Short mmCIF file of all heavy atoms in Angstrom, two decimals:
data_model
loop_
_atom_site.label_atom_id
_atom_site.label_comp_id
_atom_site.label_asym_id
_atom_site.label_seq_id
_atom_site.Cartn_x
_atom_site.Cartn_y
_atom_site.Cartn_z
N MET A 1 7.71 0.94 -11.49
CA MET A 1 6.46 0.44 -11.93
C MET A 1 6.58 -0.81 -12.73
O MET A 1 7.68 -1.23 -13.06
CB MET A 1 5.90 1.49 -12.91
CG MET A 1 5.44 2.76 -12.26
SD MET A 1 4.83 4.12 -13.32
CE MET A 1 6.52 4.72 -14.05
N GLY A 2 5.42 -1.52 -12.77
CA GLY A 2 5.38 -2.98 -13.28
C GLY A 2 4.54 -3.15 -14.46
O GLY A 2 3.80 -2.23 -14.94
N ARG A 3 4.72 -4.24 -15.03
CA ARG A 3 4.03 -4.64 -16.31
C ARG A 3 2.56 -5.19 -16.01
O ARG A 3 1.62 -4.97 -16.67
CB ARG A 3 4.86 -5.68 -17.14
CG ARG A 3 4.02 -6.20 -18.33
CD ARG A 3 4.87 -7.30 -18.87
NE ARG A 3 4.51 -7.76 -20.26
CZ ARG A 3 5.09 -8.75 -20.98
NH1 ARG A 3 6.06 -9.45 -20.49
NH2 ARG A 3 4.60 -9.03 -22.20
N ALA A 4 2.53 -6.08 -15.02
CA ALA A 4 1.34 -6.79 -14.72
C ALA A 4 0.11 -6.05 -14.11
O ALA A 4 0.33 -5.12 -13.38
CB ALA A 4 1.68 -7.99 -13.78
N SER A 5 -1.12 -6.47 -14.47
CA SER A 5 -2.25 -5.74 -13.94
C SER A 5 -2.35 -6.27 -12.48
O SER A 5 -2.26 -7.51 -12.18
CB SER A 5 -3.44 -6.14 -14.74
OG SER A 5 -3.44 -5.60 -15.98
N VAL A 6 -2.66 -5.42 -11.46
CA VAL A 6 -2.77 -5.77 -10.07
C VAL A 6 -3.99 -5.20 -9.46
O VAL A 6 -4.54 -4.21 -10.00
CB VAL A 6 -1.48 -5.28 -9.31
CG1 VAL A 6 -0.14 -5.91 -9.76
CG2 VAL A 6 -1.26 -3.80 -9.58
N PRO A 7 -4.46 -5.73 -8.43
CA PRO A 7 -5.66 -5.13 -7.70
C PRO A 7 -5.51 -3.80 -7.32
O PRO A 7 -4.39 -3.37 -6.90
CB PRO A 7 -5.86 -6.25 -6.60
CG PRO A 7 -5.14 -7.49 -7.02
CD PRO A 7 -3.97 -6.94 -7.78
N CYS A 8 -6.63 -3.10 -7.18
CA CYS A 8 -6.67 -1.76 -6.68
C CYS A 8 -6.65 -1.80 -5.15
O CYS A 8 -7.51 -2.50 -4.56
CB CYS A 8 -7.87 -0.87 -7.23
SG CYS A 8 -7.72 -0.66 -8.97
N ILE A 9 -5.85 -1.03 -4.50
CA ILE A 9 -5.76 -0.88 -3.05
C ILE A 9 -6.29 0.48 -2.51
O ILE A 9 -6.89 0.54 -1.58
CB ILE A 9 -4.35 -1.18 -2.55
CG1 ILE A 9 -4.00 -2.72 -2.82
CG2 ILE A 9 -4.17 -1.00 -1.21
CD1 ILE A 9 -2.55 -3.11 -2.73
N TYR A 10 -5.86 1.44 -3.23
CA TYR A 10 -6.19 2.81 -2.82
C TYR A 10 -7.26 3.46 -3.67
O TYR A 10 -7.53 3.08 -4.83
CB TYR A 10 -4.87 3.71 -3.00
CG TYR A 10 -3.74 3.47 -2.06
CD1 TYR A 10 -2.69 2.61 -2.40
CD2 TYR A 10 -3.88 3.95 -0.75
CE1 TYR A 10 -1.71 2.40 -1.52
CE2 TYR A 10 -2.76 3.64 0.15
CZ TYR A 10 -1.78 2.86 -0.23
OH TYR A 10 -0.79 2.63 0.75
N ASP A 11 -7.93 4.45 -3.14
CA ASP A 11 -8.92 5.28 -3.91
C ASP A 11 -8.11 6.11 -5.00
O ASP A 11 -6.97 6.49 -4.78
CB ASP A 11 -9.60 6.22 -3.06
CG ASP A 11 -10.66 5.46 -2.10
OD1 ASP A 11 -11.12 4.38 -2.45
OD2 ASP A 11 -10.93 5.86 -0.97
N GLU A 12 -8.76 6.31 -6.08
CA GLU A 12 -8.00 7.00 -7.11
C GLU A 12 -7.47 8.42 -6.77
O GLU A 12 -6.56 8.95 -7.43
CB GLU A 12 -8.91 7.17 -8.36
CG GLU A 12 -9.09 5.90 -9.06
CD GLU A 12 -9.17 5.95 -10.55
OE1 GLU A 12 -8.92 7.05 -11.12
OE2 GLU A 12 -9.56 5.04 -11.22
N ASP A 13 -8.12 9.10 -5.77
CA ASP A 13 -7.72 10.46 -5.39
C ASP A 13 -6.65 10.47 -4.15
O ASP A 13 -6.44 11.40 -3.51
CB ASP A 13 -8.83 11.35 -5.08
CG ASP A 13 -9.69 10.84 -3.93
OD1 ASP A 13 -9.47 9.55 -3.42
OD2 ASP A 13 -10.65 11.48 -3.46
N VAL A 14 -6.07 9.27 -3.96
CA VAL A 14 -5.14 9.13 -2.81
C VAL A 14 -3.94 10.06 -3.01
O VAL A 14 -3.42 10.26 -4.07
CB VAL A 14 -4.62 7.73 -2.67
CG1 VAL A 14 -3.83 7.27 -3.81
CG2 VAL A 14 -3.83 7.47 -1.34
N GLU A 15 -3.55 10.64 -1.77
CA GLU A 15 -2.41 11.51 -1.82
C GLU A 15 -1.27 10.93 -1.00
O GLU A 15 -1.55 10.64 0.31
CB GLU A 15 -2.76 12.97 -1.35
CG GLU A 15 -3.56 13.81 -2.29
CD GLU A 15 -3.81 15.24 -1.86
OE1 GLU A 15 -3.19 15.50 -0.90
OE2 GLU A 15 -4.66 15.89 -2.43
N LEU A 16 -0.14 10.77 -1.50
CA LEU A 16 1.04 10.07 -0.81
C LEU A 16 2.14 11.09 -0.60
O LEU A 16 2.18 12.14 -1.29
CB LEU A 16 1.44 8.96 -1.52
CG LEU A 16 0.47 7.80 -1.80
CD1 LEU A 16 0.99 6.80 -2.72
CD2 LEU A 16 -0.10 7.22 -0.57
N GLU A 17 2.95 10.86 0.36
CA GLU A 17 4.19 11.75 0.70
C GLU A 17 5.38 11.03 0.60
O GLU A 17 5.42 9.83 1.13
CB GLU A 17 3.91 12.41 2.05
CG GLU A 17 2.79 13.45 2.11
CD GLU A 17 2.91 14.57 1.08
OE1 GLU A 17 3.99 14.96 0.74
OE2 GLU A 17 1.85 15.04 0.57
N ILE A 18 6.47 11.56 0.22
CA ILE A 18 7.85 11.08 0.44
C ILE A 18 8.19 10.82 1.86
O ILE A 18 7.87 11.73 2.68
CB ILE A 18 8.83 11.84 -0.42
CG1 ILE A 18 8.70 11.63 -1.82
CG2 ILE A 18 10.29 11.42 0.05
CD1 ILE A 18 9.50 12.57 -2.75
N GLY A 19 8.63 9.67 2.24
CA GLY A 19 9.08 9.41 3.61
C GLY A 19 7.89 8.93 4.39
O GLY A 19 8.03 8.94 5.78
N GLN A 20 6.70 8.61 3.91
CA GLN A 20 5.66 8.18 4.56
C GLN A 20 5.04 6.82 4.23
O GLN A 20 4.91 6.50 3.08
CB GLN A 20 4.54 9.19 4.24
CG GLN A 20 3.20 8.93 5.17
CD GLN A 20 2.26 10.09 4.82
OE1 GLN A 20 1.52 10.02 3.83
NE2 GLN A 20 2.15 11.12 5.72
N ALA A 21 4.93 5.97 5.19
CA ALA A 21 4.37 4.63 5.09
C ALA A 21 2.91 4.72 5.41
O ALA A 21 2.41 5.60 6.13
CB ALA A 21 5.11 3.64 5.78
N HIS A 22 2.16 3.69 5.09
CA HIS A 22 0.61 3.59 5.51
C HIS A 22 0.34 2.23 6.11
O HIS A 22 0.59 1.19 5.53
CB HIS A 22 -0.10 3.89 4.18
CG HIS A 22 0.09 5.20 3.61
ND1 HIS A 22 -0.54 6.33 3.84
CD2 HIS A 22 1.13 5.56 2.59
CE1 HIS A 22 -0.14 7.47 3.18
NE2 HIS A 22 0.94 6.91 2.43
N ILE A 23 -0.34 2.29 7.21
CA ILE A 23 -0.93 1.20 7.85
C ILE A 23 -2.18 0.74 7.13
O ILE A 23 -3.15 1.71 7.24
CB ILE A 23 -1.16 1.38 9.24
CG1 ILE A 23 0.22 1.45 9.99
CG2 ILE A 23 -1.66 0.04 9.99
CD1 ILE A 23 0.14 1.79 11.51
N LEU A 24 -2.35 -0.34 6.51
CA LEU A 24 -3.50 -0.57 5.71
C LEU A 24 -4.37 -1.52 6.62
O LEU A 24 -5.66 -1.63 6.23
CB LEU A 24 -3.17 -1.36 4.48
CG LEU A 24 -2.31 -0.54 3.50
CD1 LEU A 24 -2.03 -1.42 2.14
CD2 LEU A 24 -3.08 0.67 3.03
N ARG A 25 -3.72 -2.24 7.63
CA ARG A 25 -4.51 -3.09 8.43
C ARG A 25 -3.86 -3.15 9.81
O ARG A 25 -2.66 -3.41 9.89
CB ARG A 25 -4.78 -4.47 7.92
CG ARG A 25 -5.46 -5.40 8.71
CD ARG A 25 -5.73 -6.74 8.07
NE ARG A 25 -6.41 -6.53 6.79
CZ ARG A 25 -6.79 -7.59 5.98
NH1 ARG A 25 -6.64 -8.84 6.29
NH2 ARG A 25 -7.39 -7.36 4.86
N GLU A 26 -4.65 -2.86 10.84
CA GLU A 26 -4.06 -2.87 12.19
C GLU A 26 -3.88 -4.33 12.70
O GLU A 26 -4.66 -5.16 12.38
CB GLU A 26 -4.97 -2.18 13.17
CG GLU A 26 -5.09 -0.69 12.86
CD GLU A 26 -4.08 0.21 13.53
OE1 GLU A 26 -3.29 -0.23 14.10
OE2 GLU A 26 -4.15 1.55 13.32
N GLY A 27 -2.81 -4.49 13.43
CA GLY A 27 -2.73 -5.92 13.99
C GLY A 27 -1.70 -5.84 15.23
O GLY A 27 -1.17 -4.73 15.55
N ALA A 28 -1.65 -7.03 16.01
CA ALA A 28 -0.87 -6.94 17.29
C ALA A 28 0.18 -8.02 17.36
O ALA A 28 0.97 -7.95 18.18
CB ALA A 28 -1.94 -7.21 18.29
N ASP A 29 0.16 -9.00 16.48
CA ASP A 29 1.03 -10.14 16.64
C ASP A 29 2.25 -10.04 15.69
O ASP A 29 3.39 -10.55 16.13
CB ASP A 29 0.38 -11.47 16.45
CG ASP A 29 -0.72 -11.71 17.30
OD1 ASP A 29 -0.64 -11.21 18.51
OD2 ASP A 29 -1.78 -12.17 16.99
N VAL A 30 2.19 -9.51 14.55
CA VAL A 30 3.33 -9.55 13.61
C VAL A 30 3.16 -8.34 12.67
O VAL A 30 1.94 -7.92 12.25
CB VAL A 30 3.45 -10.83 12.89
CG1 VAL A 30 2.23 -11.17 12.13
CG2 VAL A 30 4.74 -10.74 11.99
N THR A 31 4.21 -7.61 12.31
CA THR A 31 4.20 -6.61 11.39
C THR A 31 4.62 -7.00 9.99
O THR A 31 5.70 -7.57 9.86
CB THR A 31 5.01 -5.40 11.70
OG1 THR A 31 4.48 -4.72 12.99
CG2 THR A 31 5.05 -4.29 10.65
N ILE A 32 3.73 -6.94 8.94
CA ILE A 32 4.13 -7.19 7.61
C ILE A 32 4.34 -5.94 6.80
O ILE A 32 3.47 -5.10 6.57
CB ILE A 32 3.14 -7.99 6.80
CG1 ILE A 32 2.82 -9.32 7.72
CG2 ILE A 32 3.65 -8.41 5.46
CD1 ILE A 32 1.62 -10.18 6.99
N LEU A 33 5.62 -5.63 6.37
CA LEU A 33 6.03 -4.52 5.71
C LEU A 33 6.13 -4.84 4.29
O LEU A 33 7.03 -5.70 3.94
CB LEU A 33 7.28 -3.86 6.20
CG LEU A 33 7.33 -3.58 7.77
CD1 LEU A 33 8.87 -3.55 8.28
CD2 LEU A 33 6.61 -2.31 8.10
N ALA A 34 5.38 -4.18 3.44
CA ALA A 34 5.36 -4.65 1.92
C ALA A 34 5.52 -3.46 1.11
O ALA A 34 5.20 -2.34 1.47
CB ALA A 34 4.16 -5.48 1.58
N CYS A 35 5.87 -3.66 -0.16
CA CYS A 35 5.91 -2.71 -1.26
C CYS A 35 5.53 -3.23 -2.53
O CYS A 35 5.66 -4.48 -2.77
CB CYS A 35 7.24 -1.89 -1.22
SG CYS A 35 8.58 -2.93 -1.88
N GLY A 36 5.09 -2.46 -3.41
CA GLY A 36 4.74 -2.80 -4.79
C GLY A 36 3.63 -3.86 -4.79
O GLY A 36 2.69 -3.84 -3.99
N ILE A 37 3.76 -4.82 -5.63
CA ILE A 37 2.76 -5.79 -5.87
C ILE A 37 2.63 -6.80 -4.75
O ILE A 37 1.66 -7.48 -4.42
CB ILE A 37 2.98 -6.68 -7.16
CG1 ILE A 37 4.17 -7.63 -6.93
CG2 ILE A 37 3.04 -5.94 -8.30
CD1 ILE A 37 4.32 -8.61 -8.11
N GLU A 38 3.61 -6.84 -3.71
CA GLU A 38 3.66 -7.52 -2.53
C GLU A 38 2.62 -7.05 -1.50
O GLU A 38 2.33 -7.70 -0.63
CB GLU A 38 5.05 -7.62 -1.93
CG GLU A 38 5.97 -8.52 -2.76
CD GLU A 38 5.56 -9.96 -2.89
OE1 GLU A 38 5.64 -10.72 -1.86
OE2 GLU A 38 4.90 -10.40 -3.86
N VAL A 39 2.15 -5.73 -1.77
CA VAL A 39 1.25 -5.19 -0.76
C VAL A 39 -0.06 -6.04 -0.73
O VAL A 39 -0.63 -6.42 0.24
CB VAL A 39 0.99 -3.76 -1.03
CG1 VAL A 39 -0.16 -3.20 -0.13
CG2 VAL A 39 2.32 -3.01 -0.79
#
């Protein structure tokens, strides 16, 4: 976890799973894999 305030990306009732990534935007030319504030 971090110190800085960051924009909201998910709804507050989001459920996540260990071992699971999430496609936030579909695309065809390049994949950007990000974590934390880099999302």
Side-chain angles (χ1 to χ4, degrees):
M1 289 175 284
R3 174 189 192 180
S5 295
V6 294
C8 293
I9 293 169
Y10 290 98
D11 292 331
E12 288 216 12
D13 59 351
V14 64
E15 292 186 5
L16 303 174
E17 294 298 331
I18 288 178
Q20 184 179 80
H22 297 268
I23 296 175
L24 300 180
R25 183 172 303 184
E26 298 273 357
D29 298 324
V30 59
T31 297
I32 304 175
L33 304 159
C35 65
I37 67 170
E38 288 297 284
V39 174

